[in-house]
Amino acid sequence: MKPLSNTVEQFKESIFSTMTKMAIENKAINLSQGFPDFDGPKWVIDLASKAMNENKNQYAPSMGILPLREAIAHNYKRFYDFTVNPLSEVVVTTGATEAIFCTCMGILNPGDEVIVLEPFYDSYLASIQLAGAKVVPVTLKAPNFNFDIEELKAAVTSKTKLLIVNNPHNPTGKVFTAEEIEVIGNLARENDFYILSDEVYEFLTFGVDHKPTATYGDLANRTITISSTGKTFGLTGWKIGWAIGPAHIIKAIHNVHQFSTFAVSQPFQWAMAEALVKMDEYLVEFKADYLRKRNLLISGLKECGFNVSNPQGTYFAMAFLPEGENDVDYCKKLIVEKKVATIPTSAFYIKSDEGTKMIRFCFAKKDETLEAALANLK
Ligand SMILES: Cc1ncc(COP(=O)(O)O)c(C=O)c1O
């Protein structure tokens, strides 16, 4: 038989699926994959049931239902003083993952180059490759995960079409400083490339504020902001995401979306349209809960002797391994001997071998799950 797609043949099983499978086989506590082991708020779930019972179960408009696009635009205004036209500058997608895919397919041509800051979320690579473009990695250097400005400048060529930045950053927990975003922005202006800013952890910051890349000067002209409600509401299975950007770019992204999924699950859109505009009180509790979980995990890991980072954002923490250890072997050892599953971070790198010296813990877990994992690790 004739061979299948050459691009797809290179894709391997995601590390998250591999570690989750191993965790199940070994009855280990799963601090690997990035989703909560508790449900999202009941009031939001009730909104989805209400929508289903109100016959909102057919195909939604392809751009997303207008009340949700309005709620998204409303939130960018009130949280970031950033004006978004809900009619032309927002498209609702099946999670941020689909928005990333549609953005890559919508703006890249074969031969274009895309700068990605590694370690990076694995869907970036696949989306860029499916668009026929070339990935150009620039490493964020441990332990602070800063980029080297000269290295970043050297990565830019006349073929650079896009740079992907994830802020707050998975897996490092880094929140980029204003100076760092300015460096990226200036390079984008000087060399005329677009920026995809993946901001799915926008409300998960500790002691620092999130500022969308698009709000820096005129960067809104060339930035596609991607976010979703999965992390913010602890409802990752609903997959309500979006892309925001200039109307002509959103039109291109929507052109891909209409021929990949066409529309996103309608009842969940109605629930999120209501939840997004009522989230203030919820956010206070949400941030306090995650701060407590972060501190519980970090102090516990330190007591167990781990050299662990203090993340400013996301629900992940990185532990730096002792000299001579390797991340994959270490994670396997933790699963088998300590019954705790984590993620080997080499999976997030394609250029540097820095990832072999670190593992990632997820603290989006019930306090008792974190306590049980820490007890195992002692
Ligand atoms: C950096 C980053 N971007 C995007 C996503 C995917 O978001 P969604 O579930 O909305 O597709 C994740 C999920 O883990 C992520 O960590």
Side-chain angles (χ1 to χ4, degrees):
M1 276 198 273
K2 287 184 178 161
L4 307 180
S5 154
N6 296 337
T7 309
V8 174
E9 256 179 11
Q10 303 162 36
F11 298 167
K12 297 186 218 111
E13 181 181 66
S14 117
I15 190 67
F16 311 108
S17 312
T18 311
M19 296 319 283
T20 293
K21 247 190 254 165
M22 247 191 112
I24 294 167
E25 278 162 20
N26 287 276
K27 298 195 169 58
I29 298 170
N30 194 352
L31 303 189
S32 63
Q33 212 169 346
F35 59 81
D37 66 347
F38 47 89
D39 224 343
K42 168 106 176 40
W43 64 273
V44 185
I45 295 169
D46 287 344
L47 289 171
S49 308
K50 182 168 81 105
M52 282 181 216
N53 287 314
E54 285 173 354
N55 304 323
K56 295 190 166 108
N57 299 304
Q58 305 306 331
Y59 290 133
S62 185
M63 287 288 276
I65 61 165
L66 187 57
L68 176 57
R69 285 183 280 143
E70 284 170 343
I72 292 167
H74 175 73
N75 274 2
Y76 278 93
K77 187 72 196 165
R78 71 199 184 102
F79 288 120
Y80 309 118
D81 194 23
F82 182 61
T83 305
V84 175
N85 182 340
L87 296 177
S88 58
E89 294 177 341
V90 187
V91 55
V92 176
T93 55
T94 304
T97 309
E98 196 214 343
I100 293 162
F101 175 77
C102 294
T103 302
C104 289
M105 296 305 276
I107 67 179
L108 297 174
N109 288 313
D112 285 342
E113 293 181 2
V114 182
I115 297 177
V116 286
L117 302 173
E118 67 172 12
F120 56 76
Y121 180 59
D122 59 355
S123 90
Y124 302 161
L125 193 62
S127 295
I128 296 165
Q129 289 171 339
L130 285 167
K134 184 180 162 202
V135 178
V136 180
V138 171
T139 308
L140 298 170
K141 304 264 170 13
N144 296 324
F145 302 106
N146 299 330
F147 54 78
D148 180 301
I149 297 181
E150 293 312 315
E151 196 184 325
L152 182 60
K153 281 187 183 161
V156 179
T157 74
S158 57
K159 293 187 184 158
T160 306
K161 176 71 99 41
L162 179 69
L163 178 147
I164 302 183
V165 60
N166 169 215
N167 189 27
H169 185 259
N170 171 17
T172 65
K174 174 187 174 76
V175 174
F176 285 81
T177 62
E179 289 74 23
E180 287 172 313
I181 298 293
E182 294 288 6
V183 169
I184 292 172
N186 286 336
L187 278 177
R189 291 182 188 105
E190 286 158 19
N191 297 279
D192 188 22
F193 59 75
Y194 299 99
I195 300 172
L196 185 167
S197 194
D198 174 351
E199 302 179 6
V200 295
Y201 299 98
E202 62 185 310
F203 293 108
L204 268 170
T205 55
F206 311 105
V208 286
D209 285 333
H210 172 70
K211 185 168 157 56
T213 305
T215 63
Y216 286 78
D218 62 354
L219 285 187
N221 295 339
R222 56 178 72 252
T223 300
I224 301 96
T225 307
I226 289 177
S227 193
S228 70
T229 59
K231 317 290 174 185
T232 307
F233 285 95
L235 292 164
T236 57
W238 285 20
K239 299 293 286 184
I240 299 294
W242 56 83
I244 305 277
H248 70 288
I249 304 181
I250 292 302
K251 193 168 167 216
I253 295 172
H254 173 251
N255 273 337
V256 183
H257 168 71
Q258 70 173 336
F259 293 122
S260 50
T261 61
F262 182 73
V264 175
S265 172
Q266 166 135 224
F268 296 123
Q269 290 195 57
W270 284 100
M272 279 306 166
E274 270 194 64
L276 280 177
V277 293
K278 289 188 196 153
M279 65 193 280
D280 294 66
E281 214 177 297
Y282 163 73
L283 270 185
V284 176
E285 203 183 318
F286 169 80
K287 284 191 163 234
D289 276 350
Y290 274 100
L291 180 62
R292 189 187 64 253
K293 290 179 190 302
R294 182 194 75 152
N295 294 346
L296 174 64
L297 180 76
I298 301 293
S299 59
L301 286 177
K302 282 185 179 157
E303 275 170 33
C304 296
F306 282 94
N307 176 8
V308 65
S309 70
N310 219 14
Q312 287 186 309
T314 75
Y315 44 48
F316 303 111
M318 299 281 262
F320 304 98
L321 299 179
E323 198 66 31
E325 295 282 2
N326 157 288
D327 66 328
V328 175
D329 295 341
Y330 200 89
C331 284
K332 285 186 181 160
K333 202 163 66 182
L334 281 188
I335 291 186
V336 174
E337 292 174 13
K338 300 284 187 178
K339 304 287 176 213
V340 176
T342 56
I343 292 281
T345 60
S346 53
F348 298 88
Y349 290 80
I350 53 171
K351 183 179 171 200
S352 163
D353 66 358
E354 281 202 355
T356 60
K357 299 173 197 148
M358 294 170 273
I359 60 174
R360 187 194 78 177
F361 288 85
C362 172
F363 54 87
K365 306 293 164 190
K366 291 178 195 147
D367 290 6
E368 53 265 40
T369 307
L370 295 172
E371 277 155 7
L374 289 168
N376 285 3
L377 290 170
K378 280 216 169 103

